[in-house]
Every structure is written in structure tokens, then in C-alpha cells.
Amino acid sequence: MVKFEPSVRLINGEMMPLIGLGTWQSRPGEVGSAVEYALDVGYRHIDTAHLYGNEEEIGAAIRKKINEGVIKREDLFVTTKLWCTSHRPERVLEALNLSLKKLQLAYVDLYLIHGPVGFQYIDENTMFPMDNNGKFKLDQVDHALTWKELEKAVDQGLAKAIGLSNFNHKQIQHILDTCRIKPANLQVECNAYLNQGPLYDFCTKNQITFTAYGPLGSPGRLDIRSGDPVLLEDPLVLEIAKRHNKTPAQVCGKN
């Protein structure tokens, strides 16, 4: 077992690096270079998803660094996610195998259900299917049924650990009540403007590690509106940063 520093131990005994490179909104043609640079300077946790549309480029960057001898596969922790159009049991392993093919990997270290709301599957490129009235085509599937397929992925060695993203405590509890393999991780938005204290406590109680995305406030998020506060420009954050001779990002990262 590779020891990562700093890291956290998952419920399956594997170590997950605490700091990872998130690749949401990373531009095609640039994300590969970003991953290569990150691996060169010491990052060992790469986070992606089918939704992001960049697994293939990330996979090529990882393979390049492995071939160059910069890293070994066992030195890496790779996370990807099952998109909401693939909640139906028959879609889960097919979707994971497609991600693995794009990533050029035999397994991922962590596979997450990306969100609790299911959409109808149209094809691999349709992420948000809409009807003629401009409404989402929903496909609500019992999360417990989807989870059983993720457990099969662990059994088959396709994923070392499995978890959830954007789930609330009631939805997580439903998984806990029915699962054979417990969720190893929950990934949700969490920052100084969105304190997830109760959810964090729930996860800690249930031995589920907690990953924060958007720790700097997601200034590039899709739903941002004119006049919304910017965390990195918050007067209190700037004051604390100045007092301790740190950057605003460093202050938010310690939140």
C-alpha cells in the first residue's frame, strides 16, 4: 500500500491524498498539460468525471507520465464519477468501463455517484436530456439499486472504493441501510460561505471521509449572478490574509 502525505485512510484501508487536482471546467487542449504539470510538481490525486468530458485527455496525460517514469500507477489516486444518466443498474458497469477505457486505467481508486437526481439516458453525449417543453427528462431510480452495481465494481476490481457526491444525509442513510459495502467518501461543495458542519458530522459518525469541492467559492460556477459575493474578495478573508501574511486562497483552504 502506498502511503500518501498528507492523506486520509478510507474505510477500505486505502490512503487518499488530502489535496487533489479538480478538473471541472478545465478546457479541452489545456487540461492534459495541467495534469502533467500537477504530477510533475507532486500532485498524486486527480479528480475527474464523465460529465467533465475530459477523461480521455487526462488519461493520456497520466499514461505519458507513467511511460516517462515520473510516476507509477500505484502512486496515483484517481477519482471519477457515474453521471446521472446512468443510474439504472444495467448502465452502471458499462459507464464505468467506458471511463476506464478513456482514462487508460484498469481501475479507479474511487468511483462516485455524481448526483442523486437521475436523468433519462439518450446517448453518451447528452448530459441533460430535455423534453419539448424545455424540462428535464427525469429517471428516478432507487439509489440502493445503483449502489449494488457499484459494489459489483469493487468485487470485480474496477474500483477500489466507492462513494457519493452531492447527496444529503437522508439519501446517504438510505444507502447505509441497504449496502453491503459502505460509502468511503462524500464529495460536496463546501467553503466559508457554505458551511457543511452537520453533514460533515454525519459522515464522520459513519466513517465516511469528506471531500470539499469549490473550497475557494467557485467564482466560475454556472449559476453565479451579478452582485454575488466573491469569497476571495471578502473583506474578512482579506483582513485575515494580511494579518498572517498569506494569500486569500491559503486562508480559505484552511477553513
Side-chain angles (χ1 to χ4, degrees), residues 173-193:
Q173 187 62 59
H174 178 56
I175 298 293
L176 292 171
D177 290 342
T178 58
C179 69
R180 175 170 56 87
I181 299 174
K182 291 179 64 175
N185 181 258
L186 174 69
Q187 185 178 127
V188 294
E189 184 177 5
C190 182
N191 53 60
Y193 283 164

Side-chain angles (χ1 to χ4, degrees), residues 101-119:
K101 181 179 180 181
K102 290 180 178 179
L103 289 165
Q104 301 184 48
L105 299 175
Y107 66 90
V108 289
D109 299 273
L110 180 61
Y111 196 49
L112 306 176
I113 301 178
H114 205 151
V117 179
F119 299 134

Side-chain angles (χ1 to χ4, degrees), residues 11 169 172-173 176-177 182-184 186 196-210:
I11 197 168
H169 77 278
I172 300 169
Q173 187 62 59
L176 292 171
D177 290 342
K182 291 179 64 175
L186 174 69
Q196 297 275 20
L199 187 55
Y200 175 84
D201 291 341
F202 175 86
C203 288
T204 300
K205 177 182 176 182
N206 288 283
Q207 298 178 291
I208 301 170
T209 59
F210 188 96

Side-chain angles (χ1 to χ4, degrees), residues 34-56:
V35 170
E36 288 181 34
Y37 181 79
L39 295 175
D40 283 338
V41 300
Y43 276 81
R44 291 298 178 263
H45 184 174
I46 306 298
D47 180 281
T48 183
H50 174 67
L51 173 67
Y52 304 166
N54 56 23
E55 289 174 314
E56 196 163 3

